[in-house]
Amino acid sequence: MYTLPKLLGGQYVLTSVRKDLPECVVFAATQKDLRREVLVVSLKPACCTLEGKARFVAAARAQSLCRHSFVSAPLELFEADGAWHLARERWSGTPLDVLMANGRLLSPMQCCVLLREICHLVITLDAMRLASIRLEPDEVYLRGDGSFRFDNPAVCGSRTQAMREQALKAAGSWVLHLVDMSREYSKRTESLALRMVQTQASSALTAVNFSEEVSILQYQMGFTGAASSKIAPKT
């Protein structure tokens, strides 16, 4: 369906399709001048109506307001080949869906890192009053240093309680799939993740409270030698 590689806008070499969505296609690409790996989100021709273009541009502007160091930043909004495109940062690392598919597990400490970083992202989105969509496991990346990075979830619109809830519920569900239950503190980590899955996040303080709980658990792990962040082997 897509002829690749393809040069777009004289600057971006599209190399592969990362996602084919109803309105957009997400390409892995390389920015020629900077030799930088990026993602290019392209509005599909069938969606290039006045309304579709306005929605696409508004979403790009919302993402530019999501100033969080762990979230991919938009780099350039441009028009080429009769359509709108958004270039944004492309993270290195292993997506969560790949870890899950390969049966890999994370230590309780590493799971707490993931939960805490999601809480901080939710706090940022709440503070900025930015609408957001639910992140999928293939949009969350475990990096070599043990930290996590996220694709940009911001969209145009008004922020709602449901958006906060879905982010916390998603993070909890990922940890329930990934936590290594043979490790110390796994039960407490599982219990915390389960409460996140079941949360009714009516207050913006919900993410703050969960973040504090995670921090306390991490602190306790650090004093018991349970702080390993290595990925457990496939069982």
Side-chain angles (χ1 to χ4, degrees):
M1 184 176 179
Y2 305 103
T3 303
L4 301 174
K6 175 184 177 181
L7 180 62
L8 185 67
Q11 183 65 238
Y12 299 97
V13 180
L14 310 183
T15 55
S16 63
V17 175
R18 290 284 292 267
K19 275 192 171 185
D20 197 339
L21 303 171
E23 294 189 358
C24 303
V25 184
V26 182
F27 295 97
T30 301
Q31 188 175 2
K32 284 178 57 181
D33 288 355
L34 299 179
R35 298 182 180 179
R36 173 171 58 182
E37 292 187 340
V38 299
L39 294 178
V40 173
V41 184
S42 298
L43 188 62
K44 289 183 174 180
C47 300
C48 286
T49 61
L50 288 177
E51 181 182 351
K53 290 179 180 179
R55 187 165 53 247
F56 186 81
V57 171
R61 288 174 177 164
Q63 291 189 8
S64 71
L65 295 174
C66 185
R67 299 185 181 94
H68 190 291
S69 58
F70 292 170
V71 171
S72 60
L75 303 171
E76 181 183 8
L77 179 66
F78 62 100
E79 193 172 8
D81 296 350
W84 280 100
H85 311 271
L86 175 67
R88 69 183 189 208
E89 286 181 298
R90 177 178 166 190
W91 295 122
S92 61
T94 306
L96 290 194
D97 65 322
V98 173
L99 293 179
M100 294 175 181
N102 291 333
R104 301 289 175 173
L105 301 176
L106 302 180
S107 71
M109 176 60 87
Q110 195 63 57
C111 288
C112 283
V113 171
L114 174 57
L115 293 178
R116 190 177 182 190
E117 290 179 359
I118 283 289
C119 286
H120 288 177
L121 174 56
V122 171
I123 291 167
T124 297
L125 292 167
D126 280 340
M128 299 294 295
R129 298 182 180 178
L130 291 174
S132 61
I133 57 173
R134 171 183 169 133
L135 285 170
E136 299 299 330
D138 64 339
E139 299 171 318
V140 180
Y141 309 88
L142 173 61
R143 290 157 62 90
D145 62 1
S147 64
F148 292 88
R149 295 294 185 269
F150 312 104
D151 284 344
N152 200 314
V155 293
C156 59
S158 301
R159 185 148 184 84
T160 66
Q161 173 185 333
M163 295 170 183
R164 183 185 309 120
E165 284 184 6
Q166 68 184 3
L168 296 174
K169 288 176 184 290
S173 68
W174 300 333
V175 166
L176 291 177
H177 281 93
L178 289 167
V179 63
D180 182 356
M181 294 303 296
S182 70
R183 305 285 286 273
E184 188 179 4
Y185 282 93
S186 60
K187 285 291 186 181
R188 289 185 59 184
T189 304
E190 180 187 49
S191 176
L192 178 56
L194 184 60
R195 285 194 292 109
M196 290 181 73
V197 169
Q198 297 171 341
T199 188
Q200 301 294 320
S202 57
S203 168
L205 288 176
T206 305
V208 176
N209 293 336
F210 274 127
S211 177
E212 289 179 351
E213 284 192 62
V214 173
S215 295
I216 291 171
L217 184 53
Q218 287 180 295
Y219 180 81
Q220 293 170 342
M221 287 181 192
F223 278 90
T224 64
S228 173
S229 61
K230 293 182 179 179
I231 301 176
K234 183 176 180 180
T235 57

